[in-house]
Amino acid sequence: TAATVVVASSLDATSASTVGAVVVAPLVEETFKGLFLVVMLLFRRNQLNGLADGVTYAGLCAAGFAFTENILYLARGYSEMGGEAFATIFVLRGVMSPFCHPMFTAMTGIGVGLAASTRSTAVKVVAPFVGWCAAVLLHAGWNLSASNGLIGFVLGYGVGFLLLIAFIIFIVWARGREGRIIGHFLQPYVQTGWLAPGEVTMLSSMRQRREARTWAKLNGGPQSLSSMRAFQDTASELALLRARMHNHRVDDASISKERVLLDSMTARRREFAGMSIR
């Protein structure tokens, strides 16, 4: 990049390489990876339903980037230094640290997920920026540790592993939070007779959803299981649509989609209930 050229022209080769890795690369890479998420927030907001979606899309985007980058590193290592370098790079990047890029960009995903699920204009603006800053800092810290020899890499890897554990705990919490959101926004459909209270309880719990699928399979076979899964997915989509309608402007398309989802959910319930009676 132009920034790398400027750095290289003003520093010696070693310093330029370090500054490029610690400053330039995190800024450029996390900006371009985060740009995809911002575009989704601006133009495909109906595909973003909160923290879980933000982290998922961020992880997919970063995994694709890391896959491409790893191929380039592996090819260059093999062409310049042979099979031993290829094996070393494969172990370091493909085995020991494949989680790094997804975890960095997930910070931006968290910010975008918060922006998509709030009514606050300030949060919509600030959250993605704060998430991007966290992604850049984590990326820079990892590259800095890798630039300081074996000891730096071991220390950085240890910290990164602890962060990975914390990140996994966060994902579990986010899934539970999404279940609570589903339960909350499905309550109006209990009051209007579209859902039974027990169904909402089941739909808001990952464990009870699995139990319901098992029940459907045992009592009605594979087709009943398929209908139960479709019922759960449709109800979740309905709840998340209701959440978007609560957090953002309600339009005719949302109201029309709500009716389609209600009809589909009712049809799927009729299918698995009928099969279980046979």
Side-chain angles (χ1 to χ4, degrees):
T1 64
T4 305
V5 173
V6 172
V7 170
S9 64
S10 59
L11 299 172
D12 61 86
T14 302
S15 298
S17 176
T18 301
V19 172
V22 175
V23 178
V24 178
L27 284 170
V28 173
E29 294 176 11
E30 295 308 324
T31 297
F32 278 98
K33 286 185 287 181
L35 185 61
F36 169 78
L37 298 169
V38 173
V39 168
M40 285 199 66
L41 179 64
L42 294 175
F43 301 105
R44 288 291 185 270
R45 183 173 293 174
N46 62 334
Q47 300 299 320
L48 284 168
N49 296 306
L51 294 176
D53 279 359
V55 171
T56 299
Y57 287 122
L60 290 172
C61 180
F65 176 88
F67 179 78
T68 303
E69 188 179 50
N70 286 346
I71 290 176
L72 295 175
Y73 273 104
L74 289 166
R76 187 172 67 181
Y78 183 79
S79 65
E80 293 180 358
M81 290 174 283
E84 185 175 343
F86 179 93
T88 300
I89 294 171
F90 177 80
V91 171
L92 291 177
R93 297 185 64 89
V95 177
M96 295 184 66
S97 58
F99 58 86
C100 287
H101 272 291
M103 190 168 64
F104 301 153
T105 311
M107 299 300 105
T108 307
I110 291 171
V112 169
L114 285 172
S117 58
T118 182
R119 306 181 75 172
S120 168
T121 302
V123 174
K124 291 178 189 295
V125 174
V126 173
F129 177 72
V130 172
W132 172 81
C133 289
V136 171
L137 289 174
L138 283 177
H139 197 153
W142 172 260
N143 286 2
L144 178 62
S145 68
S147 301
N148 282 281
L150 180 61
I151 295 178
F153 177 79
V154 171
L155 289 174
Y157 189 82
V159 173
F161 186 73
L162 293 176
L163 288 174
L164 176 63
I165 294 174
F167 181 67
I168 292 172
I169 293 172
F170 170 80
I171 293 298
V172 173
W173 173 84
R175 284 180 62 86
R177 176 179 179 271
E178 187 171 280
R180 291 189 293 273
I181 290 173
I182 289 172
H184 174 74
F185 283 102
L186 286 180
Q187 284 299 326
Y189 300 108
V190 173
Q191 299 165 9
T192 54
W194 287 99
L195 285 167
E199 290 177 323
V200 173
T201 301
M202 176 270 289
L203 291 165
S204 61
S205 166
M206 296 298 110
R207 177 182 60 81
Q208 291 193 37
R209 287 166 77 109
R210 289 192 297 270
E211 291 174 352
R213 291 194 296 270
T214 300
W215 171 86
K217 184 177 180 179
L218 291 175
N219 287 274
Q223 289 184 334
S224 177
L225 171 62
S226 178
S227 296
M228 174 62 78
R229 184 176 286 114
F231 171 80
Q232 293 176 343
D233 291 343
T234 303
S236 297
E237 188 176 356
L238 177 65
L240 296 174
L241 172 66
R242 186 90 182 186
R244 289 198 302 273
M245 293 168 67
H246 173 76
N247 293 324
H248 307 291
R249 185 178 62 185
V250 178
D251 53 24
D252 292 340
S254 297
I255 296 173
S256 176
K257 185 175 182 180
E258 179 186 37
R259 182 67 198 201
V260 170
L261 290 173
L262 285 168
D263 289 342
S264 176
M265 183 179 68
T266 301
R268 301 294 82 74
R269 180 201 290 116
R270 189 179 300 116
E271 289 172 358
F272 71 71
M275 293 174 188
S276 64
I277 295 175
R278 296 173 187 175

